[in-house]
Amino acid sequence: MTTKALVVSSKSEKVMGPWKEAWFTFLKSKSAIVGTIIVLFFIFLGLIGPLFVSQGINDQNFSLRLLPPSSEYWFGTDDFGRDIFSRIVHGARISLAVGFFAVVLSVVVGSFLGIVAGYYGRWIDTIISRFFDIMLAFPSILLAIAVVSVLGPSLQNALIAIAIINVPNFGRLIRSRVLSVKEEEYIVSARAIGMKDSRILWRHILPNSFSPVIVQGTLAIATAIIEAAALGFLGLGAEAPNPEWGKMLANARVYLMTAPWTMFFPGIAIMLTVLGFNLMGDGLRDALDPKMKS
């Protein structure tokens, strides 16, 4: 091959950046695409759906109680004669909001503690790491129940409880990344020229440590939705008459044999939402983690 041909060949090859490569890797995963479609559907349902639902979420009509699914009531009615479809549509907004904001809060707090522990080390690392170990020693749902019991049953307190129990997961994840990144040569060089710690953390360490947090955050939203539903089912989350999916399951459990649709549709909504976030999270992990790439 001539030198001219080599030059032409090298020019024709496009250099793909890491984020662009991750995007194409993500698009190649069929399961990730399916998960993303499911997630976007429920986000659309929560944001836009309530505008197109004619039945009010708290419109009670006891003459219509426990009607099976039909052309008028797609998902049937509950024990108060309320349209289950309307309540599930409005409940999507509640469940997604709790999952998203709980994870955002836990990411902020956990990342701050993890960065401080990993970068400064010594006794600071010991105290923060032992704090994480103590929290992880308890089952997450039991710890969430304990927190809500102290704060009082409500949707806001359930959100805070879910955020608290997820802090150690993000804290330990970001700490392990910081421990690795801070030993890189460009970080050592930045310290050698007198760059401030705050600038090193914000400009160099955090951006290079955050990709696994994105993956974990996506998976944590699915877990947070389940935990919010569990707290609602136990009467420690959303209070009546809020159409939260877990609360709907709790109210319908006594009608499992006589009116199973009252439990079936809220359960399917929870299952599909969690499945969508898990599939999307797996796709992001494969795309952003170099070790997972073939």
Side-chain angles (χ1 to χ4, degrees):
M1 184 179 293
T2 63
T3 304
K4 184 177 180 180
L6 286 173
V7 172
V8 173
S9 177
S10 62
K11 289 183 178 180
S12 63
E13 295 177 357
K14 295 182 180 180
V15 179
M16 186 178 296
W19 288 105
K20 188 174 182 180
E21 181 182 359
W23 172 247
F24 280 105
T25 303
F26 181 82
L27 292 179
K28 291 178 181 178
S29 175
K30 295 181 180 179
S31 60
I33 297 299
V34 172
T36 304
I37 292 173
I38 294 174
V39 169
L40 291 177
F41 169 77
F42 278 99
I43 291 175
F44 177 82
L45 191 69
L47 294 177
I48 309 298
L51 300 177
F52 300 96
V53 174
S54 58
Q55 298 290 335
I57 57 175
N58 295 317
D59 293 344
Q60 301 181 13
N61 189 340
F62 286 91
S63 64
L64 302 175
R65 64 190 304 269
L66 300 179
L67 292 179
S70 62
S71 58
E72 184 176 1
Y73 300 101
W74 292 358
F75 291 174
T77 59
D78 62 9
D79 53 325
F80 288 98
R82 298 173 297 193
D83 182 30
I84 295 177
F85 176 74
S86 299
R87 291 178 63 78
I88 287 179
V89 169
H90 284 81
R93 178 178 298 180
I94 296 176
S95 295
L96 291 173
V98 170
F100 177 78
F101 287 110
V103 169
V104 169
L105 182 59
S106 60
V107 166
V108 172
V109 177
S111 297
F112 173 76
L113 294 176
I115 288 175
V116 171
Y119 186 76
Y120 291 103
R122 298 183 179 180
W123 62 270
I124 297 178
D125 185 21
T126 301
I127 293 175
I128 295 177
S129 297
R130 295 298 78 78
F131 170 71
F132 289 160
D133 292 339
I134 292 172
M135 293 187 65
L136 292 172
F138 297 93
S140 59
I141 188 62
L142 293 181
L143 186 59
I145 292 173
V147 173
V148 175
S149 299
V150 172
L151 298 178
S154 71
L155 187 62
Q156 292 77 12
N157 292 338
L159 187 154
I160 294 173
I162 295 169
I164 290 174
I165 64 177
N166 281 290
V167 164
N169 298 325
F170 292 102
R172 295 185 70 176
L173 178 63
I174 199 74
R175 173 185 173 273
S176 64
R177 291 289 300 170
V178 171
L179 288 173
S180 175
V181 172
K182 77 174 186 178
E183 301 300 329
E184 297 290 340
E185 293 183 358
Y186 64 93
I187 301 297
V188 176
S189 301
R191 290 201 203 98
I193 63 175
M195 185 177 293
K196 295 182 179 180
D197 288 345
S198 58
R199 184 176 177 85
I200 293 174
L201 290 171
W202 183 253
R203 294 291 301 273
H204 299 292
I205 291 182
L206 184 60
N208 289 286
S209 305
F210 212 70
S211 58
V213 176
I214 298 174
V215 177
Q216 182 63 29
T218 305
L219 298 173
I221 292 177
T223 305
I225 291 174
I226 294 178
E227 290 165 345
L231 292 174
F233 186 86
L234 296 173
L236 299 174
E239 299 176 345
N242 289 322
E244 196 271 327
W245 292 339
K247 190 67 176 177
M248 293 175 66
L249 285 175
N251 295 335
R253 67 184 186 276
V254 295
Y255 303 104
L256 177 61
M257 302 304 297
T258 57
W261 57 87
T262 57
M263 287 194 69
F264 176 78
F265 291 109
I268 286 295
I270 295 173
M271 185 197 73
L272 288 178
T273 306
V274 172
L275 176 65
F277 277 106
N278 281 331
L279 291 176
M280 187 172 70
D282 288 341
L284 287 173
R285 180 193 60 194
D286 296 340
L288 296 176
D289 189 353
K291 296 179 182 179
M292 301 297 296
K293 296 177 182 179
S294 58

